[in-house]
Amino acid sequence: MSLAGKRILLIVSGGIAAYKALELVRLLRAGGAAVHAVLTAGGARFVTALSLQALTEAPVGADLFSLTEESEMGHIQLSRAADLVVVAPASADILAKMAAGLADDLATTLLLATDKRVLAAPAMNVRMWEHPASIANLATLRARGVAIVGPDQGPMACGEWGFGRLAEPPAIVAAVAALLAAGPLAGRRALVTSGPTHEPIDPVRYLANRSSGRQGHAIAAALAALGAETTLVSGPVALPDPPGVAVRHVETARAMRDACIAALPADVAVCAAAVADWRVAEAAGEKIKKRPGAAPPALALVPNPDILAELSAPGPARPRLVVGFAAETGDLLAEAAAKRARKGCDWIVANDVSTAGGAMGGAENTVHLLTAEGAESWPRLAKDEVARRLAQRIAAVFGSERKT
Ligand code: C5P
């Protein structure tokens, strides 16, 4: 795989796996990349700046306040000059600092200052990896679009066994190549909604629906895989955040709408969320009590904002391509065509959500794509495959246009 002409900023943090960073440098350079290494104080306990310097054939950064380094290349410039920032190994400590936005040495300052994609390869003791603090830090970083490779499972230097081993250098190089591959949607911004929304009735009860978010999450992953800078606005789901996607977690339709507006501008928006059409007019501040003999409470509902219609409305912020979903149980194609006209979106993906179809919550979907040219029916496919096909179709639209 060719990395010719690519510039990698490699941050080596502390841990026994740091020795593998040397092999990583060798493989990156063999692929044609130029590597600039930065060593944390912890990293310098395991590998030397001299080794990294010899292998990268470039000065190794270590000191935020170095007069010579700053005069040659300031730390902000260092982080901007790279095509990709790779943190390998990424210790529990540096991941925590990244999640918190700390900048107390050269490595963390670069990570806070960079406007480039970041790939982290965690390596730590299995108990550290499984600690709720590490889990929360990883979730934060993933939600910000930091790509993660590994860790692998296996025996560890500390004698334990489990997840925490640094991914092997060839796997890290493959992740680098995938992130740097200029996909057909490179330079495009995509917005995807996914999952249900939860509309509170009182502090413990809510209105919801059966959406799992599988289709929307798969679409976000597929768009990101084609190079789009993708934001996924997700309602409550039991799915991991897709890699390489910035995820905004929301509960209600109104929060989903606000997160979508905040994510604009976008070239393409795909509204796959099953947004609740109504919410309770006034959610109770206290749990509604069940009193013996008392009539059940009546819920007064009011309409939620229609995010798809709002994104489709003409205006300077309208994405070039807006795709909606139509989940129907009746006359699917007629309902979907009417929805396309009513909402003002460009395409509708119509799927049959009658119980027999199994689309809601299932792994497969049978869909029809409605565009201005008409309807085309796709065979029954895994949701991942539906997502890949849809992303390809979206890429074809942008491929036929010049990027402005
Ligand atoms: O109106 P209906 O829910 O049938 O339309 C489905 C399409 O509209 C889906 O793409 C869904 O994500 C979107 N939608 C929305 N906001 C709503 C309701 C639906 O974005 N409040």
Side-chain angles (χ1 to χ4, degrees):
M1 84 196 57
S2 173
L3 296 172
K6 301 295 182 191
R7 290 158 305 176
I8 311 288
L9 177 62
L10 173 66
I11 293 174
V12 180
S13 70
I16 185 62
Y19 77 92
K20 289 191 190 171
L22 301 176
E23 174 68 357
L24 178 60
V25 170
R26 198 186 64 74
L27 293 177
L28 289 170
R29 295 213 60 205
V35 183
H36 202 117
V38 167
L39 203 48
T40 67
R45 307 293 287 256
F46 294 91
V47 287
T48 66
L50 194 60
S51 307
L52 280 169
Q53 190 153 312
L55 287 168
T56 59
E57 292 183 86
V60 173
D63 184 359
L64 180 58
F65 302 109
S66 160
L67 278 177
T68 40
E69 280 174 29
E70 279 301 307
S71 63
E72 282 162 14
M73 193 185 222
H75 60 266
I76 303 283
Q77 209 185 332
L78 196 58
S79 72
R80 301 264 164 109
D83 295 303
L84 183 72
V85 181
V86 179
V87 190
S91 63
D93 179 68
I94 202 165
L95 291 169
K97 285 178 171 159
M98 287 164 71
L102 290 183
D104 62 355
D105 61 6
L106 179 62
T108 50
T109 304
L110 291 171
L111 285 162
L112 199 59
T114 191
D115 58 354
K116 296 295 158 47
R117 289 291 310 264
V118 177
L119 170 69
M124 65 194 77
N125 165 274
V126 60
R127 289 180 206 287
M128 292 165 81
W129 174 248
E130 287 172 357
H131 194 285
S134 300
I135 291 171
N137 290 335
L138 257 290
T140 300
L141 294 173
R142 282 203 166 101
R144 284 189 204 137
V146 172
I148 309 289
V149 53
D152 290 347
Q153 199 175 21
M156 320 203 64
C158 52
E160 292 189 71
W161 195 93
F163 280 100
R165 287 169 61 89
L166 181 72
E168 290 303 325
I172 301 176
V173 175
V176 167
L179 284 171
L180 290 175
L185 288 172
R188 305 287 182 181
R189 287 169 59 95
L191 167 64
V192 180
T193 70
S194 182
T197 62
H198 285 183
E199 308 297 332
I201 297 170
D202 66 15
V204 296
R205 303 180 179 99
Y206 55 82
L207 299 175
N209 60 61
R210 293 186 188 279
S211 168
S212 67
R214 288 171 87 150
Q215 187 62 80
H217 277 54
I219 291 167
L223 290 169
L226 294 187
E229 187 185 334
T230 306
T231 302
L232 171 65
V233 182
S234 174
V237 294
L239 297 172
D241 292 343
V245 171
V247 185
R248 310 276 174 260
H249 293 276
V250 297
E251 292 230 336
T252 65
R254 282 176 296 170
M256 184 172 275
R257 181 240 170 233
D258 291 348
C260 286
I261 300 300
L264 295 176
D267 297 289
V268 54
V270 181
C271 293
V275 185
D277 290 314
W278 307 282
R279 66 175 182 275
V280 177
E282 235 170 290
E286 304 279 332
K287 184 183 169 197
I288 301 170
K289 291 268 190 280
K290 183 176 68 176
R291 301 199 192 282
L299 296 179
L301 302 178
V302 292
N304 265 329
D306 190 320
I307 303 165
L308 175 60
E310 205 171 321
L311 291 173
S312 301
R318 188 194 194 276
R320 156 72 186 79
L321 183 69
V322 183
V323 184
F325 270 68
E328 304 289 347
T329 53
D331 185 349
L332 185 58
L333 289 183
E335 296 276 359
K339 190 165 292 180
R340 181 172 168 271
R342 194 168 64 241
K343 303 254 188 181
C345 57
D346 302 293
W347 296 355
I348 282 271
V349 180
N351 58 341
D352 186 348
V353 288
S354 56
T355 346
M360 273 288 194
E364 292 188 333
N365 216 348
T366 311
V367 307
H368 312 264
L369 180 65
L370 276 80
T371 68
E373 281 75 49
E376 57 184 77
S377 300
W378 293 0
R380 185 169 181 78
L381 297 166
K383 286 183 177 174
D384 285 350
E385 188 51 33
V386 170
R388 268 193 292 275
R389 282 198 184 200
L390 185 64
Q392 293 288 356
R393 290 294 298 262
I394 291 169
V397 169
F398 289 100
S400 62
E401 289 173 4
R402 282 174 59 84
K403 179 153 166 38
T404 47

